[in-house]
mmCIF file with all atom_site columns, all heavy atoms in Angstrom:
data_model
loop_
_atom_site.group_PDB
_atom_site.id
_atom_site.type_symbol
_atom_site.label_atom_id
_atom_site.label_alt_id
_atom_site.label_comp_id
_atom_site.label_asym_id
_atom_site.label_entity_id
_atom_site.label_seq_id
_atom_site.pdbx_PDB_ins_code
_atom_site.Cartn_x
_atom_site.Cartn_y
_atom_site.Cartn_z
_atom_site.occupancy
_atom_site.B_iso_or_equiv
_atom_site.pdbx_formal_charge
_atom_site.auth_seq_id
_atom_site.auth_comp_id
_atom_site.auth_asym_id
_atom_site.auth_atom_id
_atom_site.pdbx_PDB_model_num
ATOM   1  N N   . TYR S 1 48  ? 163.677 85.290 100.009 1.00 94.00 ? 142 TYR S N   1
ATOM   2  C CA  . TYR S 1 48  ? 162.743 85.525 98.891  1.00 94.00 ? 142 TYR S CA  1
ATOM   3  C C   . TYR S 1 48  ? 162.490 84.243 98.118  1.00 94.00 ? 142 TYR S C   1
ATOM   4  O O   . TYR S 1 48  ? 161.354 83.950 97.733  1.00 94.00 ? 142 TYR S O   1
ATOM   5  C CB  . TYR S 1 48  ? 163.288 86.568 97.901  1.00 94.00 ? 142 TYR S CB  1
ATOM   6  C CG  . TYR S 1 48  ? 163.570 87.920 98.498  1.00 94.00 ? 142 TYR S CG  1
ATOM   7  C CD1 . TYR S 1 48  ? 164.626 88.697 98.046  1.00 94.00 ? 142 TYR S CD1 1
ATOM   8  C CD2 . TYR S 1 48  ? 162.762 88.420 99.520  1.00 94.00 ? 142 TYR S CD2 1
ATOM   9  C CE1 . TYR S 1 48  ? 164.896 89.936 98.608  1.00 94.00 ? 142 TYR S CE1 1
ATOM   10 C CE2 . TYR S 1 48  ? 163.044 89.655 100.077 1.00 94.00 ? 142 TYR S CE2 1
ATOM   11 C CZ  . TYR S 1 48  ? 164.104 90.405 99.622  1.00 94.00 ? 142 TYR S CZ  1
ATOM   12 O OH  . TYR S 1 48  ? 164.381 91.615 100.171 1.00 94.00 ? 142 TYR S OH  1
ATOM   13 N N   . LYS S 1 52  ? 159.015 82.219 97.339  1.00 97.00 ? 146 LYS S N   1
ATOM   14 C CA  . LYS S 1 52  ? 158.546 81.927 95.980  1.00 97.00 ? 146 LYS S CA  1
ATOM   15 C C   . LYS S 1 52  ? 158.147 80.461 95.863  1.00 97.00 ? 146 LYS S C   1
ATOM   16 O O   . LYS S 1 52  ? 157.091 80.122 95.326  1.00 97.00 ? 146 LYS S O   1
ATOM   17 C CB  . LYS S 1 52  ? 159.648 82.268 94.952  1.00 97.00 ? 146 LYS S CB  1
ATOM   18 C CG  . LYS S 1 52  ? 159.816 83.766 94.760  1.00 97.00 ? 146 LYS S CG  1
ATOM   19 C CD  . LYS S 1 52  ? 161.062 84.141 93.969  1.00 97.00 ? 146 LYS S CD  1
ATOM   20 C CE  . LYS S 1 52  ? 161.168 85.673 93.879  1.00 97.00 ? 146 LYS S CE  1
ATOM   21 N NZ  . LYS S 1 52  ? 162.413 86.174 93.343  1.00 97.00 ? 146 LYS S NZ  1
ATOM   22 N N   . LEU S 1 94  ? 163.967 81.748 86.476  1.00 98.00 ? 188 LEU S N   1
ATOM   23 C CA  . LEU S 1 94  ? 164.325 83.030 87.085  1.00 98.00 ? 188 LEU S CA  1
ATOM   24 C C   . LEU S 1 94  ? 165.711 82.939 87.706  1.00 98.00 ? 188 LEU S C   1
ATOM   25 O O   . LEU S 1 94  ? 166.001 82.010 88.447  1.00 98.00 ? 188 LEU S O   1
ATOM   26 C CB  . LEU S 1 94  ? 163.281 83.350 88.153  1.00 98.00 ? 188 LEU S CB  1
ATOM   27 C CG  . LEU S 1 94  ? 163.437 84.631 88.953  1.00 98.00 ? 188 LEU S CG  1
ATOM   28 C CD1 . LEU S 1 94  ? 162.074 85.229 89.244  1.00 98.00 ? 188 LEU S CD1 1
ATOM   29 C CD2 . LEU S 1 94  ? 164.169 84.397 90.255  1.00 98.00 ? 188 LEU S CD2 1
ATOM   30 N N   . VAL S 1 95  ? 166.558 83.865 87.344  1.00 98.00 ? 189 VAL S N   1
ATOM   31 C CA  . VAL S 1 95  ? 167.871 83.960 87.998  1.00 98.00 ? 189 VAL S CA  1
ATOM   32 C C   . VAL S 1 95  ? 167.723 85.025 89.080  1.00 98.00 ? 189 VAL S C   1
ATOM   33 O O   . VAL S 1 95  ? 167.463 86.204 88.773  1.00 98.00 ? 189 VAL S O   1
ATOM   34 C CB  . VAL S 1 95  ? 168.973 84.356 86.998  1.00 98.00 ? 189 VAL S CB  1
ATOM   35 C CG1 . VAL S 1 95  ? 170.305 84.545 87.715  1.00 98.00 ? 189 VAL S CG1 1
ATOM   36 C CG2 . VAL S 1 95  ? 169.105 83.292 85.910  1.00 98.00 ? 189 VAL S CG2 1
ATOM   37 N N   . GLN S 1 96  ? 167.812 84.601 90.331  1.00 98.00 ? 190 GLN S N   1
ATOM   38 C CA  . GLN S 1 96  ? 167.609 85.544 91.429  1.00 98.00 ? 190 GLN S CA  1
ATOM   39 C C   . GLN S 1 96  ? 168.708 86.606 91.422  1.00 98.00 ? 190 GLN S C   1
ATOM   40 O O   . GLN S 1 96  ? 169.894 86.296 91.366  1.00 98.00 ? 190 GLN S O   1
ATOM   41 C CB  . GLN S 1 96  ? 167.601 84.761 92.759  1.00 98.00 ? 190 GLN S CB  1
ATOM   42 C CG  . GLN S 1 96  ? 167.299 85.602 93.985  1.00 98.00 ? 190 GLN S CG  1
ATOM   43 C CD  . GLN S 1 96  ? 165.866 86.110 94.052  1.00 98.00 ? 190 GLN S CD  1
ATOM   44 O OE1 . GLN S 1 96  ? 164.952 85.554 93.440  1.00 98.00 ? 190 GLN S OE1 1
ATOM   45 N NE2 . GLN S 1 96  ? 165.657 87.176 94.775  1.00 98.00 ? 190 GLN S NE2 1
ATOM   46 N N   . LEU S 1 97  ? 168.296 87.860 91.486  1.00 97.00 ? 191 LEU S N   1
ATOM   47 C CA  . LEU S 1 97  ? 169.235 88.988 91.529  1.00 97.00 ? 191 LEU S CA  1
ATOM   48 C C   . LEU S 1 97  ? 169.262 89.551 92.950  1.00 97.00 ? 191 LEU S C   1
ATOM   49 O O   . LEU S 1 97  ? 168.263 89.422 93.665  1.00 97.00 ? 191 LEU S O   1
ATOM   50 C CB  . LEU S 1 97  ? 168.802 90.068 90.525  1.00 97.00 ? 191 LEU S CB  1
ATOM   51 C CG  . LEU S 1 97  ? 168.742 89.603 89.065  1.00 97.00 ? 191 LEU S CG  1
ATOM   52 C CD1 . LEU S 1 97  ? 168.193 90.722 88.187  1.00 97.00 ? 191 LEU S CD1 1
ATOM   53 C CD2 . LEU S 1 97  ? 170.100 89.148 88.563  1.00 97.00 ? 191 LEU S CD2 1
ATOM   54 N N   . ASP S 1 119 ? 160.507 87.355 84.501  1.00 98.00 ? 213 ASP S N   1
ATOM   55 C CA  . ASP S 1 119 ? 160.863 88.696 84.984  1.00 98.00 ? 213 ASP S CA  1
ATOM   56 C C   . ASP S 1 119 ? 160.724 89.758 83.903  1.00 98.00 ? 213 ASP S C   1
ATOM   57 O O   . ASP S 1 119 ? 160.845 90.946 84.191  1.00 98.00 ? 213 ASP S O   1
ATOM   58 C CB  . ASP S 1 119 ? 162.342 88.709 85.409  1.00 98.00 ? 213 ASP S CB  1
ATOM   59 C CG  . ASP S 1 119 ? 162.547 88.238 86.839  1.00 98.00 ? 213 ASP S CG  1
ATOM   60 O OD1 . ASP S 1 119 ? 161.683 88.514 87.677  1.00 98.00 ? 213 ASP S OD1 1
ATOM   61 O OD2 . ASP S 1 119 ? 163.584 87.598 87.091  1.00 98.00 ? 213 ASP S OD2 1
ATOM   62 N N   . ILE S 1 168 ? 164.388 96.501 86.298  1.00 96.00 ? 262 ILE S N   1
ATOM   63 C CA  . ILE S 1 168 ? 163.394 95.539 86.780  1.00 96.00 ? 262 ILE S CA  1
ATOM   64 C C   . ILE S 1 168 ? 162.180 96.212 87.429  1.00 96.00 ? 262 ILE S C   1
ATOM   65 O O   . ILE S 1 168 ? 161.101 95.668 87.452  1.00 96.00 ? 262 ILE S O   1
ATOM   66 C CB  . ILE S 1 168 ? 164.063 94.491 87.714  1.00 96.00 ? 262 ILE S CB  1
ATOM   67 C CG1 . ILE S 1 168 ? 163.208 93.259 87.867  1.00 96.00 ? 262 ILE S CG1 1
ATOM   68 C CG2 . ILE S 1 168 ? 164.444 95.075 89.045  1.00 96.00 ? 262 ILE S CG2 1
ATOM   69 C CD1 . ILE S 1 168 ? 163.952 92.029 88.349  1.00 96.00 ? 262 ILE S CD1 1
ATOM   70 N N   . THR S 1 268 ? 154.675 91.091 94.293  1.00 98.00 ? 362 THR S N   1
ATOM   71 C CA  . THR S 1 268 ? 155.746 90.681 93.373  1.00 98.00 ? 362 THR S CA  1
ATOM   72 C C   . THR S 1 268 ? 155.801 89.162 93.258  1.00 98.00 ? 362 THR S C   1
ATOM   73 O O   . THR S 1 268 ? 155.839 88.609 92.147  1.00 98.00 ? 362 THR S O   1
ATOM   74 C CB  . THR S 1 268 ? 157.114 91.216 93.874  1.00 98.00 ? 362 THR S CB  1
ATOM   75 O OG1 . THR S 1 268 ? 157.069 92.634 93.868  1.00 98.00 ? 362 THR S OG1 1
ATOM   76 C CG2 . THR S 1 268 ? 158.260 90.752 92.995  1.00 98.00 ? 362 THR S CG2 1
HETATM 77 N N1  . LIG W 2 .   ? 165.564 89.940 93.345  1.00 50.02 ? 72  LIG W N1  1
HETATM 78 C C1  . LIG W 2 .   ? 164.648 90.660 94.046  1.00 50.02 ? 72  LIG W C1  1
HETATM 79 N N2  . LIG W 2 .   ? 163.489 90.710 93.353  1.00 50.02 ? 72  LIG W N2  1
HETATM 80 C C2  . LIG W 2 .   ? 163.686 90.013 92.210  1.00 50.02 ? 72  LIG W C2  1
HETATM 81 C C3  . LIG W 2 .   ? 162.832 89.705 91.103  1.00 50.02 ? 72  LIG W C3  1
HETATM 82 O O1  . LIG W 2 .   ? 161.671 90.097 91.006  1.00 50.02 ? 72  LIG W O1  1
HETATM 83 N N3  . LIG W 2 .   ? 163.401 88.945 90.124  1.00 50.02 ? 72  LIG W N3  1
HETATM 84 C C4  . LIG W 2 .   ? 164.695 88.527 90.186  1.00 50.02 ? 72  LIG W C4  1
HETATM 85 N N4  . LIG W 2 .   ? 165.157 87.801 89.175  1.00 50.02 ? 72  LIG W N4  1
HETATM 86 N N5  . LIG W 2 .   ? 165.493 88.802 91.197  1.00 50.02 ? 72  LIG W N5  1
HETATM 87 C C5  . LIG W 2 .   ? 164.987 89.534 92.205  1.00 50.02 ? 72  LIG W C5  1
#
Side-chain angles (χ1 to χ4, degrees):
Y142 301 146
K146 286 169 182 170
L188 179 144
V189 176
Q190 184 69 22
L191 300 175
D213 275 325
I262 198 160
T362 297

